Amino acid sequence: MHVILVAAENDRLPNCKVGGVADVIRDVPYALAQLGIKVSVVTPDYGQAALTRNLVADIAVPFRQHLETATLWSVEESNNVTQYVISHSLFSEHHGAIYCNDPHQPFATDANRFAFFSAAVAELIEHELIADIDVVHLHDWHAAVVAVLRQFSPRFKRLKALKTVYTVHNLALQGIRPFNHDFSSLESWFPTLTYDGLSICDPKYPHCFNPMRAAINLSDKVHVVSPNYAKEVMIPSHPELGFFGGEGLESDMQHASHEGRLAGILNGCVYDDESASGENLTFADYLALAEQHVFQWMAKSSQVLSRFYIAHQRILAWRGEAFGGKLITSVGRLTDQKALILRQPTQAGVVLDDIAKIAKHRGARIVIVGSGDPSLEQLFTEVMARHSNVLFLNGYGKALGEQLYPLGDLFLMPSSFEPCGISQMLAMRAGQPCIVHKVGGLSDTVKHNETGYCFEGETLAEQGSQFIAIFELALADLVGDSDKYQQLRQQALMQRFDWSDVAQKYCEQLYR
């Protein structure tokens, strides 16, 4: 069997990662290859001129009434897995950025790029530039147009004959664009395409094309990345209550489930000697590393931003003090998915203020690494300014996150929704118990009072108050009940979410 994976991100390649999908695309091909499956992985090249590559072929791509030329390159071949990239000016015009922010026209720039990417993939399959494919596995809305072309374009006869699988990594991002009358629209990209609008339109905005919904409805199998999330996506979202489920596509998910097309398979994690790297790092070493990153971030602006200045002052203060307390950690993108509960109002300010006060009372420090929504970055900066036991590192650094996992004593992941989650797996792999919201893949990976701590709540206010209560309980265990904490830590350390098991389920539930 030969499977082609089509995605916007791939952490096997340099500078090709934003979120968790990149980790999946990095790891799962090699787990599949261990089962004797040949795997090809295709992503855009994002204009990385320094990427070592070998020319495969030019691709003629009809797009916007023009015949564009893209180029297919092989980057790496090992263990029955071949990594490919596609180059074109659309991928290189934003200085290597994987995603672009269009505040006034959501997804407009990215939709153009990924519609072209999908068209190029359809052409390379049709012309057998990558030959003998059996399964086309598409990931998130960025690859969804492949399913649309397969269904509605008579040109792609080879593509129509192949089994198509669609994985939803983040149902909240659907890539919605108009059908027509816009430079970034379905009819602008493919003006001669005849399509059934009822199956690919957005439920709320029927004059708009919804790539996510299209791929859900047009693929042979639909995969979401945890068993519990597969149940949640069939329930309507109620954001005012803090519940995020089907995000308007619950009817389509229910339909896929009734047809036997929907599968919930948990993502995996890599367990090897390299995954334990950083275990000998001291907290002083980490602060030195953090200072280096803060300087690098600071240098990117002609003005000293408060988030970096306060962080540097905090690092200097901490380096001058002996510390033998407990370390609370959190790593992740700063979006409402991750931080909505943390910003809920309380008498102390917001939930994160309460967490900081409880930690200070127990002699604990908090280190948070992340970037994202500017308003959340500002909020976290203000919390850091109010609490001398909080360090907020506002940026991305692979080592900053990876080396924090083995250093921490308790990991915070109070996501409002989490299709699967990787950070909790990485923390548990390092023997760091987690506090998680009992949703999605967090519910599938962390067991309350067995491998970590879970909280719930029927409303946002309840979720905030229960998180604070569980944090107090966990910190009491951490500081005052060494036996219970060590047992939790050991159980967390022993958990295994192996990619080999995931690959087996892919074969059984998605590919056959």
Side-chain angles (χ1 to χ4, degrees):
M1 182 185 291
H2 182 187
V3 178
I4 181 171
L5 303 183
V6 185
E9 300 180 37
N10 180 5
D11 195 39
R12 185 79 179 186
L13 307 179
N15 306 310
C16 197
K17 171 181 165 65
V18 172
V21 62
D23 299 311
V24 175
I25 301 301
R26 176 194 66 210
D27 296 332
V28 78
Y30 300 92
L32 290 168
Q34 288 293 314
L35 299 177
I37 294 174
K38 182 179 179 180
V39 183
S40 297
V41 185
V42 184
T43 53
D45 77 335
Y46 302 109
Q48 294 189 55
L51 192 64
T52 302
R53 61 180 86 191
N54 297 303
L55 176 66
V56 177
D58 287 332
I59 313 168
V61 185
F63 192 72
R64 285 210 181 99
Q65 295 184 313
H66 294 283
L67 196 62
E68 298 282 344
T69 301
T71 305
L72 179 67
W73 309 82
S74 65
V75 177
E76 176 186 324
E77 186 171 356
S78 65
N79 302 322
N80 219 23
V81 178
T82 307
Q83 306 283 348
Y84 295 94
V85 294
I86 295 175
S87 63
H88 184 269
S89 60
L90 275 172
F91 307 137
S92 58
E93 62 187 10
H94 296 283
H95 310 289
I98 297 175
Y99 305 124
C100 304
N101 184 21
D102 293 297
H104 304 299
Q105 279 197 305
F107 302 114
T109 300
D110 287 345
N112 287 334
R113 304 163 89 200
F114 294 120
F116 179 80
F117 171 60
S118 295
V121 169
E123 293 292 343
L124 73 85
I125 292 172
E126 192 63 25
H127 295 287
E128 295 189 281
L129 301 180
I130 299 175
D132 302 319
I133 296 169
D134 300 295
V135 179
V136 180
H137 192 158
L138 311 174
H139 292 263
D140 266 350
W141 74 265
H142 319 95
V145 170
V146 174
V148 176
L149 294 174
R150 171 184 181 252
Q151 180 71 20
F152 297 119
S153 175
R155 293 185 54 248
F156 297 112
K157 293 182 173 58
R158 293 187 189 278
L159 183 58
K160 288 181 192 304
L162 302 180
K163 185 165 192 176
T164 299
V165 176
Y166 182 61
T167 292
V168 177
H169 295 274
N170 190 345
L171 196 59
L173 299 175
Q174 299 176 10
I176 302 165
R177 294 302 303 153
F179 275 118
N180 47 36
H181 307 305
D182 192 284
F183 187 69
S184 180
S185 64
L186 183 64
E187 291 183 17
S188 170
W189 306 322
F190 311 110
T192 62
L193 187 70
T194 301
Y195 57 87
D196 171 19
L198 290 177
S199 63
I200 65 175
C201 70
D202 184 73
K204 188 175 181 180
Y205 307 104
H207 62 288
C208 286
F209 163 58
N210 185 318
M212 180 76 77
R213 179 170 183 249
I216 290 169
N217 288 332
L218 301 178
S219 297
D220 298 306
K221 289 284 186 177
V222 180
H223 164 228
V224 296
V225 289
S226 70
N228 192 53
Y229 192 58
K231 300 172 187 174
E232 292 174 352
V233 295
M234 291 189 283
I235 304 170
S237 297
H238 291 285
E240 71 284 359
L241 299 176
F243 176 74
F244 299 85
E247 297 290 84
L249 303 184
E250 54 274 0
S251 294
D252 301 287
M253 288 297 195
Q254 291 167 17
H255 186 61
S257 178
H258 293 155
E259 292 183 336
R261 294 190 297 116
L262 179 63
I265 303 172
L266 192 70
N267 285 337
C269 187
V270 174
Y271 299 89
D272 55 25
D273 291 338
E274 289 184 17
S275 69
S277 64
E279 286 186 356
N280 296 320
L281 190 82
T282 67
F283 188 48
D285 293 334
Y286 186 81
L287 291 176
L289 178 68
E291 184 177 52
Q292 291 174 14
H293 279 79
V294 169
F295 282 156
Q296 291 168 10
W297 301 333
M298 203 182 290
K300 292 180 180 179
S301 172
S302 58
Q303 296 178 320
V304 177
L305 301 178
S306 61
R307 67 200 66 175
F308 302 137
Y309 176 78
I310 299 169
H312 186 236
Q313 292 300 305
R314 186 64 32 84
I315 291 168
L316 291 177
W318 285 7
R319 291 176 79 176
E321 301 169 358
F323 176 63
K326 302 302 181 181
L327 187 62
I328 316 301
T329 67
S330 186
V331 180
R333 289 278 297 163
L334 293 189
T335 63
D336 257 352
Q337 174 191 354
K338 308 287 187 181
L340 180 60
I341 294 171
L342 288 171
R343 70 175 179 85
Q344 291 308 298
T346 66
Q347 288 186 336
V350 295
V351 167
L352 187 54
D353 285 299
D354 288 74
I355 297 299
K357 285 187 172 183
I358 295 166
K360 188 170 188 177
H361 178 69
R362 293 284 188 171
R365 288 177 176 173
I366 301 173
V367 177
I368 300 170
V369 178
S371 62
D373 186 321
S375 64
L376 290 172
E377 292 178 339
Q378 180 61 30
L379 177 66
F380 278 48
T381 300
E382 292 170 7
V383 171
M384 173 170 61
R386 290 194 287 266
H387 303 280
S388 62
N389 65 324
V390 175
L391 172 62
F392 169 44
L393 298 170
N394 183 198
Y396 174 74
K398 190 174 182 181
L400 275 184
E402 288 180 351
Q403 298 190 11
L404 196 57
Y405 291 116
L407 273 177
D409 298 296
L410 190 65
F411 190 84
L412 306 183
M413 199 165 175
S415 307
S416 288
F417 66 96
E418 197 65 66
C420 175
I422 182 64
S423 295
Q424 85 279 15
M425 295 182 187
L426 299 177
M428 293 166 75
R429 183 182 71 182
Q432 185 178 181
C434 305
I435 299 179
V436 303
H437 188 194
K438 195 176 180 181
V439 294
L442 299 177
S443 176
D444 287 318
T445 50
V446 180
K447 304 306 175 190
H448 184 59
N449 272 338
E450 293 181 26
T451 61
Y453 303 88
C454 303
F455 68 91
E456 299 180 80
E458 296 297 320
T459 65
L460 276 168
E462 280 186 25
Q463 291 164 14
S465 63
Q466 289 199 30
F467 175 42
I468 293 167
I470 290 293
F471 181 73
E472 281 197 279
L473 171 70
L475 218 51
D477 290 342
L478 180 58
V479 174
D481 191 344
S482 177
D483 289 344
K484 180 182 177 183
Y485 173 76
Q486 288 302 328
Q487 187 175 7
L488 274 172
R489 185 181 185 279
Q490 196 59 35
Q491 288 296 319
L493 192 62
M494 290 170 61
Q495 298 305 301
R496 288 293 179 268
F497 309 100
D498 285 301
W499 277 115
S500 57
D501 296 335
V502 177
Q504 189 66 47
K505 290 176 181 175
Y506 273 30
C507 292
E508 294 168 357
Q509 300 180 37
L510 303 179
Y511 297 160
R512 292 193 177 127

